[in-house]
Amino acid sequence: MIVKTPEQKKAVKQGMLSNVMRQFDNAADIIGLNSNIRKILEVTNNELVVHFPVRMDNGEVEIFTGYRVQHNNALGPYKGGLRYHPTVDIDAARALAMWMTWKTSLAGLPYGGAKGGIQLDPTKYSNAELERITRRFTYALGDNIGPELDIPAPDVNTNPQTMAWILDTYMSTKSPAERSTNMHVVTGKPIGAGGSQGRDRATGYGVFLNIKFWAEHKNIKLKDKRFIVQGFGNVGYWAAYFLEKEGASMIAVQDAYGSIINEEGISVDHLLAYTKANKGSIMGFAGAETLDKANFFSLDCDICIPAALGNVITAANAPKIKAYLIAEGANGPTDVEAEEILLDKGVTILPDILCNSGGVIGSYFEWLQNRNGEIWQMDEVLEKLEKKLRESFTKVMETSAQRGIDMRTAAFIIAIERLEETYVQRGIFP
């Protein structure tokens, strides 16, 4: 595993915030965004930093730092994931919260954007410790989250189990009569704890659908296309799973432990089974060879899916990329300088706020079901998800063609214009 210095970590975090602001400024300049509304959208509404103690398995107490940044709620309650990662800090949370605002606006959802998490490496803690950390963090957040205020979801290194712990802790702080009405305080829950069918695959399925829509638009068949995936967690796995079903071939995978390659193709399900038996790592998988991590993005392939962390495609590796389509499963994987290089090369980038929005759309469906006391079947969820994503994709393609701009700028323009309209119609209090 590559260990970054504190200076390198700081550069990555600042880079994410710089990226989202530059993307916003670029789109705002093109549409001549009202200067007063611009001032509002440039800053976050609320930023919460909590320090809380947790007793470890050895009896010692450790202090953790948790974050929750609420960017904007003009369209509805704040919505966004919680991640457990050493790179989590206030700047990273600000950048990710802003992206969530644009993502929910673009998708036409009644949500604003938020993000947060805890600065820790979850591999260093037992399951019992992670449960206590999660419950104590939830308690520390208190009424700063809520089903009609701010609704967390899973993100990097968090999962349905994490959400179940948050749900149980939050509900236990309410009176018995109120508890069942707070089921939708988090989404991405296990099915038995009020989760939705299809939510587990919603993000990765959305990445696949955006690739499919783009291929249809270009009259390209996905069969026999070669793709590479960075990050073989929930998003990377499901995107690869559905692409493989279309006849495409996964030739390389990279995760936090290393990279593997097989030019003949890597079985998606065989690799998943291996990672489950191997503490989540892809390394040592018999159906592939080890690859130097530095050469991953320069592999000869058709589609590249960065589905791990932000700022992984940079000015340093962008010139070597051979894929003609990049589908952003992660948030902010491509920095601004890299994007300029790739667009000049004729590479198409399916931007994160469109490409990975299946997750928040799936979360919206779960929230609705909890709120209304309904249970939808898998086919119903996936059908609704495809319809919503196709609407977003079509809007982005049309705006891109009409204005002669790239897809990311088009997506930002659609998202910002929806928010601008809301502020114009509602006015500013007082």
Side-chain angles (χ1 to χ4, degrees):
M1 185 185 290
I2 296 171
V3 178
K4 288 186 169 70
T5 66
E7 290 75 20
Q8 287 172 319
K9 284 181 183 176
K10 191 174 181 186
V12 168
K13 294 166 195 164
Q14 287 178 337
M16 284 174 70
L17 188 56
S18 166
N19 277 346
V20 71
M21 288 310 300
R22 285 163 75 181
Q23 291 165 356
F24 168 74
D25 287 338
N26 178 41
D29 288 346
I30 290 172
I31 63 173
L33 178 64
N34 177 295
S35 61
N36 291 318
I37 295 170
R38 188 171 186 148
K39 287 174 196 170
I40 296 168
L41 296 178
E42 280 176 340
V43 297
T44 56
N45 286 357
N46 306 300
E47 299 180 350
L48 190 69
V49 181
V50 292
H51 306 286
F52 54 94
V54 180
R55 193 174 298 281
M56 298 291 100
D57 291 343
N58 64 4
E60 291 293 309
V61 169
E62 202 170 314
I63 306 296
F64 294 89
T65 301
Y67 302 88
R68 189 65 178 172
V69 172
Q70 298 164 336
H71 173 240
N72 188 277
N73 63 344
L75 298 173
Y78 302 106
K79 187 84 186 76
L82 290 172
R83 58 176 56 185
Y84 290 0
H85 199 270
T87 59
V88 172
D89 73 353
I90 198 70
D91 275 345
R94 282 174 185 144
L96 293 161
M98 286 183 177
W99 270 315
M100 281 305 301
T101 297
W102 317 136
K103 191 183 298 184
T104 53
S105 179
L106 174 64
L109 301 178
Y111 287 143
K115 211 75 170 191
I118 306 174
Q119 194 175 81
L120 60 77
D121 179 352
T123 62
K124 295 180 177 172
Y125 299 91
S126 71
N127 203 50
E129 286 171 335
L130 287 172
E131 178 176 355
R132 292 197 293 277
I133 292 165
T134 301
R135 289 181 179 276
R136 191 62 181 75
F137 179 41
T138 306
Y139 188 78
L141 289 175
D143 284 336
N144 290 288
I145 60 170
E148 308 294 334
L149 171 65
D150 183 354
I151 308 128
D155 202 277
V156 177
N157 292 332
T158 55
N159 54 35
Q161 179 60 75
T162 318
M163 296 304 108
W165 290 332
I166 294 173
L167 171 71
D168 186 68
T169 308
Y170 183 85
M171 286 172 71
S172 71
T173 66
K174 305 299 172 189
S175 70
E178 291 180 298
R179 284 174 194 165
S180 64
T181 63
N182 283 278
M183 187 72 76
H184 50 306
V185 64
V186 287
T187 56
K189 303 181 289 292
I191 298 292
S196 170
Q197 294 281 348
R199 175 60 186 90
D200 59 343
R201 66 207 65 191
T203 311
Y205 185 55
V207 172
F208 158 71
L209 285 174
N210 274 283
I211 294 169
K212 184 182 164 192
F213 298 155
W214 180 83
E216 287 171 358
H217 182 76
K218 293 285 185 181
N219 290 317
I220 292 171
K221 293 273 189 289
L222 289 175
K223 191 175 188 305
D224 298 327
K225 293 293 177 284
R226 293 150 56 89
F227 67 94
I228 61 175
V229 182
Q230 186 196 45
F232 201 67
N234 182 272
V235 180
Y237 164 72
W238 282 110
Y241 171 85
F242 287 109
L243 276 170
E244 188 180 68
K245 283 185 75 172
E246 288 285 311
S249 175
M250 180 170 74
I251 62 161
V253 183
Q254 184 177 81
D255 69 1
Y257 303 95
S259 309
I260 59 172
I261 183 170
N262 183 342
E263 295 281 358
E264 301 302 311
I266 297 168
S267 165
V268 174
D269 279 339
H270 287 173
L271 182 60
L272 177 71
Y274 177 80
T275 60
K276 283 183 174 176
N278 197 41
K279 296 182 180 175
S281 173
I282 60 171
M283 301 310 291
F285 177 62
E289 297 171 2
T290 302
L291 170 75
D292 185 335
K293 282 190 87 162
N295 297 330
F296 181 75
F297 284 112
S298 61
L299 289 171
D300 187 8
C301 63
D302 303 297
I303 303 163
C304 170
I305 305 172
L309 294 170
N311 273 12
V312 292
I313 298 177
T314 64
N317 58 25
K320 302 170 191 169
I321 287 176
K322 297 183 178 70
Y324 53 74
L325 180 67
I326 294 174
E328 295 185 336
N331 292 309
T334 312
D335 74 21
V336 174
E337 285 76 16
E339 181 146 23
E340 288 171 5
I341 293 166
L342 292 166
L343 293 175
D344 283 345
K345 286 173 64 177
V347 176
T348 298
I349 301 170
L350 298 176
D352 47 7
I353 65 170
L354 169 67
C355 192
N356 68 34
S357 64
V360 73
I361 295 169
S363 278
Y364 170 61
F365 293 158
E366 180 179 329
W367 184 77
L368 274 183
Q369 289 169 75
N370 292 162
R371 214 177 177 209
N372 300 335
E374 296 178 7
I375 298 174
W376 301 350
Q377 298 307 307
M378 177 77 78
D379 57 352
E380 189 179 357
V381 172
L382 297 185
E383 189 182 317
K384 287 175 186 287
L385 184 63
E386 180 165 358
K387 185 183 176 190
K388 204 106 180 72
L389 279 168
R390 192 180 285 278
E391 284 171 8
S392 296
F393 179 86
T394 303
K395 274 188 205 165
V396 171
M397 290 304 289
E398 286 172 353
T399 303
S400 172
Q402 286 164 4
R403 290 181 175 267
I405 52 177
D406 61 275
M407 290 182 73
R408 188 185 314 279
T409 306
F412 264 74
I413 284 173
I414 295 163
I416 293 167
E417 283 184 337
R418 183 177 173 218
L419 278 152
E420 181 179 31
E421 183 182 19
T422 299
Y423 277 109
V424 167
Q425 289 174 351
R426 283 170 42 171
I428 308 294
F429 175 83

